[in-house]
Amino acid sequence: MAILEIKNVTKQFGGNLVVDNISIDIKKGEFFTLLGPSGCGKTTLLRMIAGLVSPDSGQILLDGVDITNLPPEKRPLHTIFQSYALFPHMTVADNIAFPLKMAKWDKSRIDAQVNELLEDVQLSQFKDRYPHEISGGQKQRVAIARSLVDRPKLLLLDEPLSALDARLREHMHMELVKLQEETGVTFVYVTHDQHEALALSSRIAVLNHGTIEQLDKPDIIYSKPKTHFVADFLGKCNLLKAEVLATTTDTVTLRVASGIEFSIKDPASSSYQIGQIGWYSLRPEKLKLSAENTFDATNLSVIKSKVNGYYYYGNDTLYELDLGNNTKLQVMAPNHTSDGVKFFVDNSEIYVAFDPEAGNFLDTSSC
Ligand SMILES: Nc1ncnc2c1ncn2[C@@H]1O[C@H](COP(=O)(O)OP(=O)(O)OP(=O)(O)O)[C@@H](O)[C@H]1O
Ligand SMILES: [Mg+2]
């Protein structure tokens, strides 16, 4: 059952449509992420859930109750922003205890609950320190503990880790997932960081210009992007302009770069028109390279190409191939061979192969 129902919610600021008729059902216990570029409306949507901004139209229901017009303090949820917003004159333990004191819990119950949370966020030994005596990462852990201590129905998090360095952020990712699982509190998390979204979420809504481009599980968002925007926004992706040459019930023959033809598997193939133009999206790590044409052409599409350049990343090397007609193809090749790395040098001829299910045809109506 959905704990949070966002129904046809719209918001304009000064004539700009910032959130455009968005509907989302979020399930109880989910780690749900709103992902999108700067200015796409993530924070505005989150602030409407929190009650800090009123929608122009639409409805928001929490646990079946219409909260659209409920003031923020009456909503059984908490919000964490990038800044820590701890009470500077209170110790770590008192900061965490604050919501329970406000709710008039008994002192013994408060102590037990606070100690449990302190253990969960690994801050027991810092309980008597003040916020200025702990690090940024520790402050954010206190803020998270304080937001979970009274077990809200919902925790809203707006880029809560963006002030932390990359290493600490990764550590906090694992802690957040653990805390979310342990407490069972439903999280709605906002980020513009695709890696963060993929690593943390049960489901992701990818937002662009105030609308949802795709809502799916992380692995589907990554491997089966539905639009040009989603394919491009998440990770590296080749997007080749492609023409439909022929279709069968489950395959499409495409032509890219004016001359290269291949067939792919696609359950939606019967809905395409011959001559239709779209995009073929193909992740660089789905391609295989070889100096000789040793690939099994009955099962793979094989293209003869030329190396345009490469970038060594340590564990992988990213090659750029030239398909002609101003079309480039990126290939990520792993470097885990025991006999060291052998590079394909610039201008050498090369064969590149991929599986009929490796990529996706995106029809232009979705681009
Ligand atoms: N109170 C406001 N008054 C006017 N315009 C606003 C207001 N709040 C947000 N906006 C505008 O609405 C758009 C969406 O803003 P929002 O803060 O929701 O984006 P975001 O997706 O959270 O971006 P970021 O990743 O940069 O935080 C932006 O163009 C922003 O300038
Ligand atoms: Mg924002």
Side-chain angles (χ1 to χ4, degrees):
M1 190 205 136
I3 189 156
L4 181 71
E5 296 162 76
I6 299 168
K7 294 185 170 188
N8 306 102
V9 165
T10 292
K11 182 72 192 174
Q12 295 194 8
F13 285 119
N16 287 330
L17 203 48
V18 171
V19 172
D20 183 4
N21 196 22
I22 283 190
S23 297
I24 307 175
D25 279 357
I26 295 175
K27 293 186 215 115
K28 195 165 192 276
E30 265 198 295
F31 196 128
F32 191 93
T33 297
L34 302 169
L35 170 70
S38 183
C40 73
K42 306 179 293 293
T43 294
T44 305
L45 184 56
L46 205 72
R47 288 171 67 83
M48 288 194 282
I49 302 168
L52 302 167
V53 170
S54 320
D56 296 336
S57 58
Q59 253 189 328
I60 299 173
L61 277 71
L62 183 56
D63 227 357
V65 178
D66 188 342
I67 58 162
T68 319
N69 298 310
L70 208 61
E73 66 278 7
K74 294 259 170 70
R75 300 184 182 206
L77 55 82
H78 291 301
T79 311
I80 297 181
F81 299 100
Q82 183 187 332
S83 55
Y84 314 118
L86 297 180
F87 302 116
H89 57 284
M90 286 187 198
T91 63
V92 163
D94 287 342
N95 261 284
I96 297 174
F98 184 77
L100 303 182
K101 281 190 182 147
M102 295 305 284
K104 304 219 171 359
W105 281 36
D106 292 345
K107 185 163 181 338
S108 58
R109 265 181 86 210
I110 292 180
D111 288 348
Q113 185 80 346
V114 169
N115 285 334
E116 191 187 318
L117 257 299
L118 278 166
E119 253 172 57
D120 285 347
V121 295
Q122 295 164 39
L123 285 177
S124 298
Q125 72 270 41
F126 298 108
K127 62 191 281 213
D128 296 323
R129 292 214 191 161
Y130 287 86
H132 71 272
E133 296 171 328
I134 56 176
S135 73
Q138 289 162 346
K139 277 185 216 162
Q140 200 56 311
R141 269 145 67 188
V142 175
I144 293 165
R146 188 179 58 185
S147 302
L148 289 169
V149 75
D150 60 349
R151 296 291 188 267
K153 289 196 173 164
L154 212 55
L155 182 59
L156 310 176
L157 304 103
D158 192 351
E159 315 242 8
L161 309 181
S162 52
L164 309 180
D165 69 51
R167 231 183 133 83
L168 191 55
R169 211 158 49 226
E170 205 163 292
H171 177 72
M172 287 296 292
H173 286 162
M174 299 194 187
E175 289 213 346
L176 266 183
V177 170
K178 251 192 274 164
L179 269 176
Q180 197 268 334
E181 281 171 4
E182 274 166 23
T183 59
V185 172
T186 308
F187 280 23
V188 183
Y189 194 94
V190 159
T191 183
H192 64 269
D193 180 335
Q194 33 143 340
H195 298 295
E196 193 163 272
L198 292 171
L200 296 179
S201 320
S202 338
R203 287 191 303 156
I204 300 171
V206 184
L207 263 58
N208 185 26
H209 296 305
T211 61
I212 297 175
E213 292 262 339
Q214 187 167 354
L215 196 166
D216 264 312
K217 292 185 176 166
D219 57 321
I220 304 291
I221 296 262
Y222 185 78
S223 63
K224 299 262 172 230
K226 281 194 182 137
T227 68
H228 186 284
F229 176 84
V230 174
D232 202 29
F233 189 70
L234 277 107
K236 290 188 192 308
C237 195
N238 293 292
L239 283 154
L240 307 173
K241 202 155 215 179
E243 181 186 350
V244 174
L245 295 183
T247 59
T248 68
T249 47
D250 63 348
T251 68
V252 191
T253 305
L254 299 173
R255 176 160 59 206
V256 301
S258 303
I260 297 165
E261 296 175 15
F262 52 87
S263 293
I264 63 161
K265 281 247 188 286
D266 188 337
S269 56
S270 53
S271 65
Y272 307 139
Q273 309 292 317
I274 307 300
Q276 180 181 342
I277 305 289
W279 297 94
Y280 180 57
S281 74
L282 186 58
R283 298 276 178 204
E285 70 271 19
K286 296 275 186 180
L287 291 145
K288 292 186 172 59
L289 290 177
S290 172
E292 314 285 331
N293 187 3
T294 48
F295 294 114
D296 170 12
T298 51
N299 292 315
L300 296 171
S301 299
V302 183
I303 299 172
K304 190 176 175 185
S305 179
K306 226 169 69 174
V307 177
N308 209 38
Y310 64 82
Y311 309 91
Y312 176 59
Y313 284 136
N315 51 342
D316 303 296
T317 300
L318 182 73
Y319 291 92
E320 187 176 83
L321 309 185
D322 190 352
L323 298 186
N325 225 23
N326 264 334
T327 308
K328 304 281 186 275
L329 189 69
Q330 292 195 326
V331 181
M332 192 69 90
N335 290 328
H336 51 58
T337 47
S338 54
D339 55 347
V341 185
K342 292 194 187 76
F343 295 112
F344 299 104
V345 295
D346 286 5
N347 290 317
S348 56
E349 286 201 333
I350 197 155
Y351 292 88
V352 56
F354 54 96
D355 188 275
E357 292 178 74
N360 306 286
F361 179 67
L362 311 174
D363 81 62
T364 27
S365 59
S366 67
C367 299

